[in-house]
PDB file of all heavy atoms in Angstrom:
ATOM      1  N   TYR A  35      -9.813  -2.678  -4.752  1.00  0.00           N
ATOM      2  CA  TYR A  35     -10.313  -3.824  -5.512  1.00  0.00           C
ATOM      3  C   TYR A  35      -9.233  -4.429  -6.348  1.00  0.00           C
ATOM      4  O   TYR A  35      -9.147  -5.629  -6.528  1.00  0.00           O
ATOM      5  CB  TYR A  35     -11.530  -3.513  -6.327  1.00  0.00           C
ATOM      6  CG  TYR A  35     -12.052  -4.634  -7.083  1.00  0.00           C
ATOM      7  CD1 TYR A  35     -12.920  -5.506  -6.567  1.00  0.00           C
ATOM      8  CD2 TYR A  35     -11.793  -4.678  -8.531  1.00  0.00           C
ATOM      9  CE1 TYR A  35     -13.473  -6.580  -7.311  1.00  0.00           C
ATOM     10  CE2 TYR A  35     -12.259  -5.819  -9.235  1.00  0.00           C
ATOM     11  CZ  TYR A  35     -13.100  -6.690  -8.588  1.00  0.00           C
ATOM     12  OH  TYR A  35     -13.630  -7.745  -9.336  1.00  0.00           O
ATOM     13  N   ALA A  65     -14.821  -1.792   1.190  1.00  0.00           N
ATOM     14  CA  ALA A  65     -15.619  -2.060   0.019  1.00  0.00           C
ATOM     15  C   ALA A  65     -14.891  -2.760  -1.159  1.00  0.00           C
ATOM     16  O   ALA A  65     -15.322  -3.819  -1.596  1.00  0.00           O
ATOM     17  CB  ALA A  65     -16.279  -0.804  -0.458  1.00  0.00           C
ATOM     18  N   GLY A  66     -13.725  -2.222  -1.443  1.00  0.00           N
ATOM     19  CA  GLY A  66     -12.928  -2.765  -2.587  1.00  0.00           C
ATOM     20  C   GLY A  66     -12.375  -4.103  -2.208  1.00  0.00           C
ATOM     21  O   GLY A  66     -12.465  -5.085  -2.961  1.00  0.00           O
ATOM     22  N   VAL A  67     -11.847  -4.271  -1.027  1.00  0.00           N
ATOM     23  CA  VAL A  67     -11.241  -5.529  -0.623  1.00  0.00           C
ATOM     24  C   VAL A  67     -12.297  -6.584  -0.547  1.00  0.00           C
ATOM     25  O   VAL A  67     -12.165  -7.708  -0.922  1.00  0.00           O
ATOM     26  CB  VAL A  67     -10.456  -5.365   0.694  1.00  0.00           C
ATOM     27  CG1 VAL A  67     -10.041  -6.684   1.289  1.00  0.00           C
ATOM     28  CG2 VAL A  67      -9.184  -4.522   0.464  1.00  0.00           C
ATOM     29  N   SER A  68     -13.407  -6.269   0.176  1.00  0.00           N
ATOM     30  CA  SER A  68     -14.359  -7.217   0.442  1.00  0.00           C
ATOM     31  C   SER A  68     -15.019  -7.874  -0.878  1.00  0.00           C
ATOM     32  O   SER A  68     -15.248  -9.026  -0.994  1.00  0.00           O
ATOM     33  CB  SER A  68     -15.460  -6.808   1.384  1.00  0.00           C
ATOM     34  OG  SER A  68     -16.251  -5.679   0.919  1.00  0.00           O
ATOM     35  N   ARG A  69     -15.314  -6.926  -1.814  1.00  0.00           N
ATOM     36  CA  ARG A  69     -15.836  -7.288  -3.111  1.00  0.00           C
ATOM     37  C   ARG A  69     -14.855  -8.295  -3.682  1.00  0.00           C
ATOM     38  O   ARG A  69     -15.341  -9.371  -4.229  1.00  0.00           O
ATOM     39  CB  ARG A  69     -16.137  -6.209  -3.936  1.00  0.00           C
ATOM     40  CG  ARG A  69     -16.541  -6.686  -5.384  1.00  0.00           C
ATOM     41  CD  ARG A  69     -17.548  -6.167  -6.228  1.00  0.00           C
ATOM     42  NE  ARG A  69     -18.601  -5.506  -5.685  1.00  0.00           N
ATOM     43  CZ  ARG A  69     -19.169  -4.346  -6.252  1.00  0.00           C
ATOM     44  NH1 ARG A  69     -18.666  -3.949  -7.380  1.00  0.00           N
ATOM     45  NH2 ARG A  69     -20.231  -3.819  -5.652  1.00  0.00           N
ATOM     46  N   PHE A  70     -13.650  -7.979  -3.803  1.00  0.00           N
ATOM     47  CA  PHE A  70     -12.614  -8.852  -4.407  1.00  0.00           C
ATOM     48  C   PHE A  70     -12.527 -10.234  -3.672  1.00  0.00           C
ATOM     49  O   PHE A  70     -12.549 -11.297  -4.361  1.00  0.00           O
ATOM     50  CB  PHE A  70     -11.244  -8.272  -4.460  1.00  0.00           C
ATOM     51  CG  PHE A  70     -10.212  -9.086  -5.207  1.00  0.00           C
ATOM     52  CD1 PHE A  70     -10.144  -9.063  -6.571  1.00  0.00           C
ATOM     53  CD2 PHE A  70      -9.487  -9.997  -4.485  1.00  0.00           C
ATOM     54  CE1 PHE A  70      -9.196  -9.940  -7.238  1.00  0.00           C
ATOM     55  CE2 PHE A  70      -8.591 -10.823  -5.066  1.00  0.00           C
ATOM     56  CZ  PHE A  70      -8.361 -10.775  -6.449  1.00  0.00           C
ATOM     57  N   LEU A  71     -12.440 -10.225  -2.401  1.00  0.00           N
ATOM     58  CA  LEU A  71     -12.347 -11.382  -1.681  1.00  0.00           C
ATOM     59  C   LEU A  71     -13.574 -12.319  -1.776  1.00  0.00           C
ATOM     60  O   LEU A  71     -13.445 -13.575  -1.983  1.00  0.00           O
ATOM     61  CB  LEU A  71     -12.059 -11.148  -0.154  1.00  0.00           C
ATOM     62  CG  LEU A  71     -10.758 -10.535   0.237  1.00  0.00           C
ATOM     63  CD1 LEU A  71     -10.715 -10.148   1.676  1.00  0.00           C
ATOM     64  CD2 LEU A  71      -9.548 -11.315  -0.308  1.00  0.00           C
ATOM     65  N   LYS A  72     -14.695 -11.710  -1.744  1.00  0.00           N
ATOM     66  CA  LYS A  72     -15.995 -12.491  -1.862  1.00  0.00           C
ATOM     67  C   LYS A  72     -16.162 -13.099  -3.265  1.00  0.00           C
ATOM     68  O   LYS A  72     -16.542 -14.245  -3.413  1.00  0.00           O
ATOM     69  CB  LYS A  72     -17.247 -11.671  -1.558  1.00  0.00           C
ATOM     70  CG  LYS A  72     -17.387 -11.487   0.031  1.00  0.00           C
ATOM     71  CD  LYS A  72     -18.578 -10.702   0.279  1.00  0.00           C
ATOM     72  CE  LYS A  72     -18.783 -10.684   1.818  1.00  0.00           C
ATOM     73  NZ  LYS A  72     -19.528 -11.870   2.249  1.00  0.00           N
ATOM     74  N   GLU A  73     -15.672 -12.386  -4.304  1.00  0.00           N
ATOM     75  CA  GLU A  73     -15.730 -12.938  -5.709  1.00  0.00           C
ATOM     76  C   GLU A  73     -14.790 -14.182  -5.808  1.00  0.00           C
ATOM     77  O   GLU A  73     -15.134 -15.185  -6.372  1.00  0.00           O
ATOM     78  CB  GLU A  73     -15.386 -11.846  -6.651  1.00  0.00           C
ATOM     79  CG  GLU A  73     -16.370 -10.768  -6.890  1.00  0.00           C
ATOM     80  CD  GLU A  73     -15.878  -9.692  -7.787  1.00  0.00           C
ATOM     81  OE1 GLU A  73     -14.792  -9.652  -8.216  1.00  0.00           O
ATOM     82  OE2 GLU A  73     -16.780  -8.768  -8.109  1.00  0.00           O
TER      83      GLU A  73
END
Side-chain angles (χ1 to χ4, degrees):
Y35 178 80
V67 169
S68 64
R69 169 141 333 144
F70 182 85
L71 294 178
K72 284 182 171 276
E73 287 175 357

